[in-house]
Amino acid sequence: MSDGSVQHQQPQPAVPVLEERRLGEILGAVPERGQWRYRPRRVGMVWRSKAFRAGAVIVVLALCGLVILSLVREQTGSEGFLVGLGLAVLPVPLLMAAFRWLDRVEPGPWRNLLFSFAWGACAAALVAIIANSFATRWIATATADPAGADTLGATVIAPIVEESAKAAAVLLIFLFRRREFSGIVDGIVVAGFTATGFAFTENILYLGNAFGEDQQLGVTGLGSMTAGTFFVRIVMSPFAHPLFTVLTGIGFGFAAVGARRHRVRRILLPALGLLLAMGMHALWNGSSAFGPYGFYVVYGIFMVPAFGLVTWLAVFTRRRELRTLSAELPAYAAAGWLTPAEPLALSSMRARGMARDLARHWHGHPDRARGRAAARAVAEYESFATSLAGLRRRARLDSAGPDFAGRERELLHHLWQRREIAGPALTYAAHATGRLHTHPRRPAAPYGGQFPQQQHPHAYASPGPYPGPYPYPEPYPYATPGPQRYGHAGPPYAGQFPPQQYGPAPHATPPQQYGGANPYLRPPQ
């Protein structure tokens, strides 16, 4: 009998039958993980790691920084580079402080701002130097007119390349940090930090080259090229690059607050902002073509009014964010999540700062660590409340997304954890700043004259009564959420939804939250 017939007659291994009664038996026979011979392939998993992505971004920006450092140093020399660096850094803290002040209502994370600054100073500057140099040389070779190539490169090529490179940072944060990019102020701040970084690197280059020319000519003092460049770029126009790129940020900000169904508008508005930034940049660079006084004409007639208009828009938008707090948060106060005075205090920057100071320094408590922890808890409370008001406003504009309810519950949970510290301080601040005129007498001291949260500086309170007497009399019905104050079951989760129930298996949402006896927390229609 042949080998083939023998092989044909050998019994074939049986295939396990997938039946419910045998499923446990089959899976129970799988070897331990350490004895696996076939392991799952982690295809693409490394790209999903946040640590890997953050590390990749840092490495790329660091490499761009090293390359741009070597290029600038090569053009300016070591001494010129140091002089340019020392002079160019002077306006950076002032510009960063101004943009950060604008972002005080709902401050964005520093990681986004640092990324924007690093992108402008390293990546965008490197792209601009390489692309501008290549385009200018190509035009000079093609036209045999080096002077015309320089003019064309400064007025046409440079605005397109530089504004596109800076806009990339705003686009990346808009796409990948969408929840932290919620409006016009966010667009202005991100664009401002990006342009500040770009201008910092560019100023090093210009000031370093000017210093090198002065060294060759032996010129010093106020009549030197370095002094003139410093006056024009640092004293007169430190806001030039931020002003250009802020127009792009405003376009992305309008796209962020627009309705999700208006997709065409969400694409056209950022593009329009970028085109305006390029046009303003081209006008600024081409001002020398209007004669010896062209720079001053463009500066006084166009740049200063444009700067004033953008500043007014930024301040107006900031005030509108505060008005959003006073318009949206009373619904949560009526539902028992906040006290009636808190929306008034949260819509005032003075009252918010006073509340933080009260928590930090009340009765001069000697434990500074606990004071800082209490002030941080109040600051976090203010930030979460601001995010909650903005989320509800975006829901009214149909731009909050389908996960509105889950994000709202998460923010309410964070507020609930910190209410025993922040609630009394904000209420006292509302009275002290004149935001609440219900009672003529000054309210009682918050926290019952004691420092809150004596157990641990980071241990935020779980739902329960406020420590000590509440800082206003009994007619306010929401001092301590609970059945005895409401005449019914109380606000959603009050007294029965401690923070630990936000674990892996949260219980079902109470029916009164979204559609039922309590209409205040229902997603806006």
Side-chain angles (χ1 to χ4, degrees):
M1 187 176 294
S2 65
D3 294 340
S5 61
V6 172
Q7 293 179 359
H8 178 74
Q9 292 179 1
Q10 290 179 351
Q12 299 295 323
V15 177
V17 179
L18 185 60
E19 298 178 358
E20 185 176 358
R21 61 184 179 85
R22 297 196 58 197
L23 182 60
E25 176 185 349
I26 296 172
L27 296 180
V30 175
E32 297 293 335
R33 185 181 183 87
Q35 301 177 358
W36 285 358
R37 300 180 61 184
Y38 304 94
R39 300 181 181 275
R41 296 178 59 188
R42 301 176 62 86
V43 179
M45 295 299 292
V46 66
W47 297 100
R48 301 179 184 179
S49 171
K50 292 183 178 180
F52 178 83
R53 293 199 299 265
V57 170
I58 293 174
V59 169
V60 170
L61 291 178
L63 292 176
C64 291
L66 292 175
V67 174
I68 195 69
L69 176 65
S70 63
L71 290 178
V72 173
R73 184 177 175 275
E74 180 182 355
Q75 294 189 30
T76 62
S78 299
E79 191 175 359
F81 173 79
L82 294 177
V83 172
L85 177 63
L87 296 177
V89 78
L90 294 179
V92 172
L94 299 177
L95 292 172
M96 295 177 71
F99 286 113
R100 191 60 178 173
W101 172 86
L102 187 65
D103 200 30
R104 283 180 61 199
V105 178
E106 189 178 3
W110 270 105
R111 63 176 181 271
N112 291 350
L113 304 183
L114 294 178
F115 164 79
S116 301
F117 182 87
W119 180 277
C122 301
L126 179 61
V127 170
I129 287 180
I130 295 176
N132 289 342
S133 300
F134 175 80
T136 303
R137 291 175 183 175
W138 182 82
I139 294 173
T141 303
T143 61
D145 184 9
D150 291 338
T151 302
L152 185 62
T155 56
V156 178
I157 303 300
I160 295 176
V161 172
E162 294 176 7
E163 295 306 320
S164 299
K166 289 183 288 184
V170 187
L171 176 62
L172 290 174
I173 293 180
F174 181 81
L175 293 177
F176 297 103
R177 290 291 184 267
R178 186 64 183 84
R179 289 189 178 181
E180 299 162 0
F181 196 116
S182 58
I184 299 174
V185 172
D186 294 322
I188 292 175
V189 173
V190 170
F193 267 76
T194 305
T196 300
F198 183 89
F200 169 66
T201 302
E202 190 178 66
N203 287 336
I204 295 175
L205 181 62
Y206 278 88
L207 290 168
N209 286 333
F211 179 80
E213 294 181 10
D214 290 337
Q215 290 292 98
Q216 292 179 359
L217 299 176
V219 180
T220 59
L222 296 178
S224 64
M225 183 72 69
T226 304
T229 304
F230 179 84
F231 178 75
V232 171
R233 299 189 65 87
I234 306 300
V235 177
M236 288 190 63
S237 58
F239 57 84
H241 272 288
L243 178 60
F244 306 149
T245 313
V246 157
L247 296 177
T248 304
I250 292 174
F252 278 99
F254 277 115
V257 299
R260 300 175 67 87
R261 62 178 179 272
H262 298 156
R263 295 186 177 181
V264 176
R265 188 183 305 176
R266 290 163 65 89
I267 296 175
L268 292 180
L269 288 176
L272 177 61
L274 178 59
L275 290 177
L276 290 176
M278 293 177 180
M280 183 179 292
H281 196 161
L283 179 64
W284 175 257
N285 287 358
S287 59
S288 59
F290 301 127
Y293 299 101
F295 169 80
Y296 300 100
V297 171
V298 172
Y299 183 86
I301 296 179
F302 189 78
M303 294 294 292
V304 173
F307 176 75
L309 181 61
V310 171
T311 302
W312 171 84
L313 177 62
V315 175
F316 172 79
T317 306
R318 184 176 184 264
R319 291 180 177 176
R320 190 179 67 175
E321 287 186 347
L322 293 174
R323 290 196 297 268
T324 299
L325 289 165
S326 60
E328 300 293 346
L329 292 183
Y332 297 96
W337 289 99
L338 310 176
T339 63
E342 287 182 47
L344 299 175
L346 289 167
S347 59
S348 167
M349 298 305 298
R350 180 188 173 197
R352 291 165 71 142
M354 181 178 292
R356 294 192 298 271
D357 291 338
L358 283 171
R360 182 185 295 109
H361 301 299
W362 190 255
H363 278 191
H365 197 279
D367 193 338
R368 294 185 178 181
R370 291 179 177 175
R372 289 193 298 268
R376 183 167 58 251
V378 175
E380 292 171 352
Y381 189 93
E382 294 169 351
S383 177
F384 289 129
T386 304
S387 299
L388 181 63
L391 176 66
R392 189 167 183 84
R393 181 178 182 275
R394 291 193 298 274
R396 294 185 186 278
L397 300 176
D398 191 26
S399 61
D403 58 344
F404 166 79
R407 294 166 65 184
E408 183 187 44
R409 284 195 298 269
E410 180 183 349
L411 289 170
L412 290 174
H413 164 67
H414 292 311
L415 293 177
W416 193 260
Q417 284 185 308
R418 295 157 178 81
R419 68 186 182 93
E420 292 191 10
I421 297 177
L426 287 168
T427 302
Y428 187 89
H431 281 276
T433 56
R435 304 284 295 178
L436 190 63
H437 302 283
T438 305
H439 297 279
R441 67 180 180 87
R442 191 175 182 86
Y447 317 126
Q450 300 177 6
F451 188 83
Q453 296 300 103
Q454 299 287 347
Q455 297 87 354
H456 191 275
H458 301 288
Y460 299 122
S462 58
Y466 286 98
Y470 205 75
Y472 46 70
E474 188 66 22
Y476 289 95
Y478 306 113
T480 304
Q484 68 276 12
R485 300 270 182 162
Y486 288 84
H488 58 79
Y493 311 137
Q496 60 179 358
F497 204 155
Q500 62 269 21
Q501 294 191 13
Y502 270 88
H507 58 69
T509 303
Q512 67 267 30
Q513 184 178 8
Y514 298 107
N518 183 3
Y520 297 104
L521 300 182
R522 190 179 305 163
Q525 302 298 327

